[in-house]
Amino acid sequence: MVLSPEIIERRLRAVDQTSESIQTTSMWIMHHKDSIAEIVKVWIELFKTASDSLQIALFYVANDVCQKAKKRGDAAILLNAFAPHWTSAISVVKSLSSSRENGGVIKAIERILDIFDERQVYSKSQLDDMRSALIGVNETEEGGFEFDTDVLAKFIEAYHKGEMVMERARGILARSDFNFKDKIKSRMKDRQGGEKFLEEIEMAQKKLENFLSTLSKHKTRGTHLMEILDAGKRFFTLQLRDVIVVEDAYQKFSSGIDAVRLELEEMLKTNIYPGASPPRDAPSPTPNEDPFQDGVETVFERNYFFLNAKLKDDNW
């Protein structure tokens, strides 16, 4: 069955952020994987003009498709179909962040990228491209870089908050007693007490597992932050290089102005100006050096008769 762009758009536009809607739409896409090229094309075009809530839903749908494809072995078709459009979609979100508050979309992207990283849905180089698009690091046609310092500040702030949470959790763990050997004897006196105690142990185990999972994500964010800082270092190094070049040019220009100023001051002191008429006290030429010592008319007549005689000889 060939899907028209209208049918695909209507199906994607109807999705919302509920699990049921996302999974249903994801299964629909996988069912029509033969038309995945058309579906992805409509997906990215719809995403560009979608509201924040629809953008999040579209991200979740694509994420669900990619993860299921990874498990089912359809990666070659579905993952590759979405791969080039993830970066484009993230760039759209980044460009819209200056005109509207879309923090929810950015957080959704961060969660999805973390999942991609943990489950190795995409390669490291592909994830680096996606994250670079999210923080606004782009290589220009001239070989330079564009870098968004506001996004960097937000990443640092978010990581700092996460570090504070991790520090509090470490403190709680340090004060916790995980030696259940003595407690078992006192708590497991009957069936009811034993079941309650086992529930507490399971709850503690789940909390510990959640902490380890959160700690792992925090470590991943830290690694990502280091990559962002490295990109920032490269960006500002290039900026510094350009500033040094401009500064050097202005210093040379300033030195040239100083040299001209000194020359002008010297001219004012000596009354000697290059290219100007000689001063009044300059020595006059001697009679032997003056071609007009017999008068201008005499010189003119002499030259006139000479030229006239020469012309007659030539005509002869």
Side-chain angles (χ1 to χ4, degrees):
M1 176 183 178
V2 179
L3 299 176
S4 66
E6 292 77 15
I7 294 175
I8 298 172
E9 181 178 351
R10 186 164 59 248
R11 190 69 178 82
L12 293 178
R13 192 178 289 277
V15 70
D16 56 43
Q17 297 181 34
T18 62
S19 299
E20 181 181 359
S21 178
I22 291 168
Q23 292 177 8
T24 302
T25 307
S26 172
M27 292 175 62
W28 179 82
I29 291 175
M30 299 187 75
H31 177 72
H32 295 284
K33 65 180 181 180
D34 292 339
S35 302
I36 189 61
E38 291 77 10
I39 292 174
V40 171
K41 184 177 180 180
V42 175
W43 181 88
I44 187 62
E45 290 302 321
L46 177 60
F47 185 90
K48 293 177 181 178
T49 58
S51 62
D52 288 357
S53 59
L54 182 55
Q55 283 185 343
I56 293 174
L58 291 173
F59 263 125
Y60 285 162
V61 167
N63 168 56
D64 198 57
V65 170
C66 291
Q67 289 197 58
K68 288 179 178 176
K70 186 75 172 180
K71 294 178 181 178
R72 292 173 50 175
D74 295 325
I77 299 174
L78 299 173
L79 288 180
N80 292 338
F82 276 100
H85 298 289
W86 279 108
T87 303
S88 300
I90 294 171
S91 298
V92 169
V93 174
K94 181 65 184 64
S95 64
L96 292 174
S97 63
S98 59
S99 59
R100 73 188 195 193
E101 292 292 335
N102 57 356
V105 184
I106 293 176
K107 288 182 179 179
I109 296 173
E110 291 174 352
R111 286 196 296 271
I112 291 172
L113 294 184
D114 287 342
I115 292 172
F116 284 171
D117 193 5
E118 291 173 8
R119 302 180 182 178
Q120 298 180 345
V121 177
Y122 284 105
S123 66
K124 185 179 183 301
S125 61
Q126 289 173 311
L127 286 172
D128 288 343
D129 291 340
M130 296 177 194
R131 284 178 169 141
S132 295
L134 182 60
I135 64 173
V137 179
N138 298 306
E139 189 168 356
T140 63
E141 294 180 357
E142 294 78 13
F145 288 91
E146 296 177 354
F147 189 81
D148 194 327
T149 53
D150 292 336
V151 175
L152 172 61
K154 291 179 181 178
F155 267 87
I156 293 176
E157 183 180 359
Y159 181 80
H160 178 65
K161 290 180 179 178
E163 184 65 23
M164 293 176 64
V165 172
M166 290 296 102
E167 193 61 32
R168 287 196 296 269
R170 292 188 190 99
I172 294 173
L173 288 175
R175 296 190 300 270
S176 300
D177 182 12
F178 293 98
N179 185 7
F180 298 105
K181 185 176 180 180
D182 296 334
K183 295 180 181 179
I184 291 176
K185 296 178 181 179
S186 60
R187 296 286 301 277
M188 299 189 67
K189 295 180 179 180
D190 52 33
R191 183 182 182 87
Q192 184 178 1
E195 290 177 350
K196 186 176 181 181
F197 183 60
L198 288 176
E199 289 178 0
E200 292 177 2
I201 293 177
E202 290 176 357
M203 182 66 69
Q205 181 181 354
K206 288 181 180 179
K207 289 183 178 180
L208 186 59
E209 289 174 351
N210 289 336
F211 170 74
L212 292 175
S213 176
T214 305
L215 183 62
S216 177
K217 292 179 181 178
H218 184 64
K219 181 180 178 181
T220 301
R221 292 191 184 97
T223 302
H224 178 43
L225 179 59
M226 291 298 296
E227 294 173 354
I228 298 173
L229 291 172
D230 183 63
K233 181 180 179 181
R234 285 186 292 149
F235 171 77
F236 287 114
T237 299
L238 292 174
Q239 292 290 304
L240 179 61
R241 183 196 64 184
D242 294 341
V243 169
I244 291 174
V245 171
V246 173
E247 181 190 21
D248 182 63
Y250 274 106
Q251 286 181 348
K252 290 180 179 178
F253 181 69
S254 176
S255 299
I257 292 177
D258 290 340
V260 172
R261 179 178 59 81
L262 293 174
E263 290 180 3
L264 291 174
E265 290 177 351
E266 185 66 22
M267 291 177 190
L268 291 173
K269 290 179 181 179
T270 60
N271 289 327
I272 298 176
Y273 305 98
S277 300
R280 293 182 179 180
D281 57 351
S284 301
T286 62
N288 294 331
E289 297 174 338
D290 188 2
F292 301 104
Q293 59 182 337
D294 297 329
V296 176
E297 294 181 358
T298 303
V299 174
F300 177 76
E301 290 177 358
R302 186 186 304 147
N303 290 334
Y304 173 76
F305 287 122
F306 173 77
L307 291 173
N308 193 29
K310 184 170 178 57
L311 288 172
K312 287 182 179 180
D313 292 340
D314 292 339
N315 292 333
W316 177 258

